Amino acid sequence: MFMHFDESMQIIEDQQINHYKTKKLYLMESLGYVLAEDIITDHNSPAFPTSAMDGYAFKHEDITLGRLKIASINPAGSDKKEEVLGGSCIKTFTGSLMPQGADTLIPIENVEVEGDEIIIKEEVPYGFAVREVGENYAQGQKLIPQGTMIDFPQIGVMASLNVVTPLVYEKPTVAILSTGSELLELGETQTNDAQIRSSNNYILEAITAKYGGRALQMGCVKDDKQSIMNAVASALEQSDIVVTTGGVSVGDFDFVKDVIAELGAEVLFKGVRIKPGQHIMVARKEDKFIVGLPGFAYSSTVTALLYLLPLIAKLQEGKCALRKVKAILDEPFNKRAKKAEFTACNLNLIGGKYHVDFEDKKVGSSAILTNMLGDVALLFTSEEEGPKEKGDEVTVLVLD
């Protein structure tokens, strides 16, 4: 009995992890990891009123004088305690602390220097070019929440806070197995016409690496139960998620579903009304998951994106990398099955709106992996939806 796609997604969403794996990394090594702690400020930034540009610090009430005496110079990094007195100013540079007594900075281009005085040519309002205490952030403020993927902005902010070794979630290890006696590894010589070159395990390794996991390539396994049992058991010991391709349908040599049960894993679901890849199985043993994907290349790719990515994110308390957008169909779409359907399409941003077409996308079996080439996205239509007309608004999964 195949379940509704939405139900399968809810089961994945409802999974709770009992023990997360975390570690501390040197700041620059944390790029691409997910934060396992909130980053909270321990000071104000700036801690004192600071100049936002090069100019002259003075009391704004003196602007009517039109001419001010230059009392001294205040370079960036200087901790001079000299105070601005009435009728005077201090030359101050970008990033310098504002001198005591000064409340405004007039830019150098607004004045003319004459000896040891400035002549004000263009006035500025009170407080001009002064960065107030806490303008950037205030003490005790949560700047980066737990669960955030660390990118260059987070690196910069943490560096400014002197966070040397942030706490991060370990990237889940994803063990990858392809089952099938007909499969050839890279570089292996073909000896008969029934053999095919394995691509699934390499696709899955690339998907894992791109979307936040650590791939453990276990290669191809022959279609006999004991070999699959040994391979899956070994993979489960070494990883957080085991992904297999092939062996989950109803054929005479489809042993993966039997092996999963014998290893003591709980089957969360098996069989989903989706196209491609309805023979999908997800199981769990403690905090580890087994994802059994179909053998056809396009099917395994799409189902990996749908089911593997949320699990990689869940083990890091992160967000799934796939996002949905609305787009306009530039040509009709003929929905072929009463299932949730994921169709490779071309996605283009035109005039601020996403548009979808199917140029060079072949219609056929679930083995046409070349449909994933180009500026590709996945057009999503639920099992309740029917064919679409040109100009209709549709939902698209973006593969960032």
Side-chain angles (χ1 to χ4, degrees):
M1 183 70 178
F2 294 98
M3 70 169 54
H4 194 285
F5 171 69
D6 291 348
E7 184 181 353
S8 71
M9 287 287 98
Q10 190 61 53
I11 290 172
I12 297 289
E13 176 67 24
D14 290 343
Q15 297 305 301
Q16 299 296 316
I17 305 303
N18 298 311
H19 301 289
Y20 291 98
K21 298 178 181 179
T22 61
K23 61 183 177 182
K24 282 191 172 283
L25 285 179
Y26 174 65
L27 180 59
M28 285 310 300
E29 294 176 352
S30 71
L31 185 67
Y33 281 78
V34 176
L35 265 176
E37 61 181 343
D38 293 330
I39 300 299
I40 298 173
T41 61
D42 60 0
H43 64 278
N44 294 318
S45 175
F48 302 94
T50 305
S51 169
M53 56 200 315
D54 296 344
Y56 297 86
F58 70 108
K59 295 177 182 287
H60 190 263
E61 63 188 36
D62 289 342
I63 201 163
T64 57
L65 299 175
R67 180 185 291 261
L68 301 170
K69 183 177 178 60
I70 304 172
S72 68
I73 295 178
N74 177 30
S78 170
D79 61 351
K80 279 189 174 183
K81 304 300 183 184
E82 190 170 353
E83 184 176 354
V84 169
L85 302 175
S88 70
C89 63
I90 293 178
K91 190 172 186 179
T92 301
F93 297 87
T94 305
S96 298
L97 299 182
M98 287 292 289
Q100 294 181 31
D103 54 31
T104 305
L105 186 123
I106 189 164
I108 55 175
E109 55 267 28
N110 287 33
V111 304
E112 181 180 319
V113 178
E114 190 176 275
D116 63 353
E117 293 184 326
I118 61 168
I119 300 170
I120 298 173
K121 299 188 299 180
E122 184 178 339
E123 295 186 358
V124 293
Y126 174 86
F128 186 81
V130 178
R131 297 185 63 213
E132 296 298 330
V133 172
E135 178 192 75
N136 192 17
Y137 51 77
Q139 184 175 357
Q141 182 179 349
K142 183 196 295 185
L143 288 186
I144 312 174
Q146 174 186 359
T148 299
M149 177 75 74
I150 298 172
D151 204 343
F152 65 87
Q154 288 77 26
I155 292 287
V157 169
M158 286 191 285
S160 72
L161 292 171
N162 196 33
V163 178
V164 180
T165 53
L167 184 70
V168 300
Y169 292 100
E170 291 188 16
K171 292 185 177 184
T173 299
V174 179
I176 300 163
L177 290 163
S178 288
T179 66
S181 299
E182 76 280 11
L183 299 178
L184 291 172
E185 290 276 19
L186 272 179
E188 191 175 355
T189 302
Q190 185 175 10
T191 58
N192 68 67
D193 293 340
Q195 294 174 320
I196 60 173
R197 190 69 59 189
S198 177
S199 62
N200 288 344
N201 48 336
Y202 301 106
I203 295 168
L204 294 174
E205 182 173 353
I207 287 173
T208 297
K210 179 176 180 178
Y211 292 108
R214 293 177 59 250
L216 177 62
Q217 187 61 256
M218 306 286 286
C220 301
V221 185
K222 301 300 181 185
D223 271 329
D224 69 83
K225 187 175 179 180
Q226 194 58 50
S227 295
I228 295 173
M229 173 75 78
N230 294 340
V232 174
S234 175
L236 200 57
E237 286 182 5
Q238 302 176 67
S239 66
D240 303 292
I241 305 172
V242 179
V243 183
T244 67
T245 61
V248 290
S249 62
V250 291
D252 292 341
F253 298 100
D254 292 333
F255 298 118
V256 171
K257 60 185 184 298
D258 302 322
V259 164
I260 288 174
E262 291 181 31
L263 286 172
E266 175 196 359
V267 176
L268 300 178
F269 56 84
K270 181 186 181 300
V272 182
R273 293 193 298 274
I274 56 174
K275 182 178 180 63
Q278 65 180 357
H279 294 290
I280 168 81
M281 174 188 285
V282 176
R284 176 173 180 166
K285 186 175 184 181
E286 298 172 345
D287 277 344
K288 299 188 175 189
F289 295 90
I290 304 172
V291 182
L293 303 178
F296 276 140
Y298 180 66
S299 295
S300 65
T301 299
V302 171
T303 49
L305 294 170
L306 296 176
Y307 293 101
L308 173 58
L309 265 55
L311 291 175
I312 290 175
K314 183 170 286 291
L315 288 167
Q316 303 170 85
E317 286 200 283
K319 297 177 182 177
C320 182
L322 293 186
R323 59 188 178 93
K324 293 180 180 179
V325 299
K326 293 296 184 180
I328 305 300
L329 267 178
D330 286 348
E331 59 182 273
F333 171 72
N334 181 29
K335 187 171 173 62
R336 294 182 292 159
K338 192 172 177 55
K339 302 174 183 178
E341 196 165 345
F342 296 87
T343 307
C345 61
N346 303 305
L347 183 66
N348 298 292
L349 190 60
I350 303 172
K353 292 186 177 180
Y354 285 108
H355 286 254
V356 162
D357 66 61
F358 305 98
E359 185 178 355
D360 296 327
K361 301 303 180 192
K362 299 177 182 177
V363 177
S365 74
S366 298
I368 306 175
L369 182 60
T370 52
N371 276 348
M372 296 298 289
L373 297 175
D375 295 325
V376 71
L378 294 174
L379 170 65
F380 167 63
T381 48
S382 70
E383 67 176 69
E384 291 79 19
E385 293 180 270
K388 303 290 182 181
E389 300 297 329
K390 180 179 179 180
D392 283 353
E393 185 178 70
V394 292
T395 300
V396 178
L397 286 180
V398 181
L399 311 182
D400 287 325

